[in-house]
Amino acid sequence: MIAVRGVSLCAGDHRVLEEVSLSVETGTVLAVVGPNGVGKTTLLRAVAGLHSLESGSIAIDGVDVASLPPRARARRIAFLGADDTPVESLSVRDVVGTARYTHHRWWEWRETSADASAIATALAEVGIGTLAQREFSTLSSGERRNAWIAFALAQETPALLLDEPTTHLDLHVAQRMLALLRALARAGRTVVCALHDLNEAAAYADTVALFGSGRLRSFGPPDVVLSSPIVDEVYECPVERVRLRDGSLRVYPSGERTALER
């Protein structure tokens, strides 16, 4: 479980988030949503131990993240940022394989059968096993995104933090990726995703955290959070909710749905 208690975060002289408290149960998917600039990435980086807290605390399975040395933290939490990182002269497999360094002392690195299995499994899970020997720099943006997600999976941590995991992915690949993350949660991992698409949050998250104006504005099941008028207020646009035949919720900006129906 990830527990965030009374956390305030700053970026330079600007306070990004104030007095945030929430918890993510083991085996669930939390979607962090809200407009650009509300602190979604900053919060994920703080949970990963990569951004210092102004106040409050963050714990994973009862252990304060700030107390963990980097190697121990990397064995508990995998963090995937939204920005693409350029890599030259390495194969896809080599890039994903660097995720295994945290399982070895730096002076004892030698790939084991467990490493090979974790790398192969991660590549297969994201559907790029056939690209293993390709040079990373020759991949498309979507293929690189898949490779970085494979990197996070190969780290084999109980918690996965992913900032915009579906960026650059085709529609069917994005849906498959979110289904994979949900399956990993069902298998016992804790998954936190920052998402821009509210319908992805509605379809795949167990819990949604809606941020706006530096605060956690709503927290709970997708149906409850996304049905609230707070969504319209936070995004500063009227939102229309539609129930599909299977009972699932879809959310559209009112103007977008009107245009689609013309």
Side-chain angles (χ1 to χ4, degrees), residues 3-93:
V4 178
R5 297 287 178 260
V7 165
S8 295
L9 298 168
C10 290
D13 296 329
H14 172 61
R15 178 171 285 184
V16 179
L17 290 173
E18 186 168 2
E19 290 293 319
V20 174
S21 294
L22 58 85
S23 60
V24 192
E25 297 296 328
T26 300
T28 64
V29 177
L30 169 67
V32 180
V33 302
N36 291 331
V38 297
K40 300 186 297 293
T41 297
T42 304
L43 177 63
L44 262 64
R45 288 180 57 82
V47 174
L50 303 175
H51 191 103
S52 58
L53 309 183
E54 182 183 6
S55 62
S57 65
I58 299 175
I60 178 168
D61 296 332
V63 179
D64 193 319
V65 170
S67 72
L68 293 169
R71 182 169 174 270
R73 194 168 62 236
R75 296 189 70 168
R76 290 174 178 263
I77 305 167
F79 170 75
L80 175 67
D83 297 329
D84 194 11
T85 304
V87 176
E88 299 291 338
S89 303
L90 287 178
S91 71
V92 173
R93 188 187 186 281

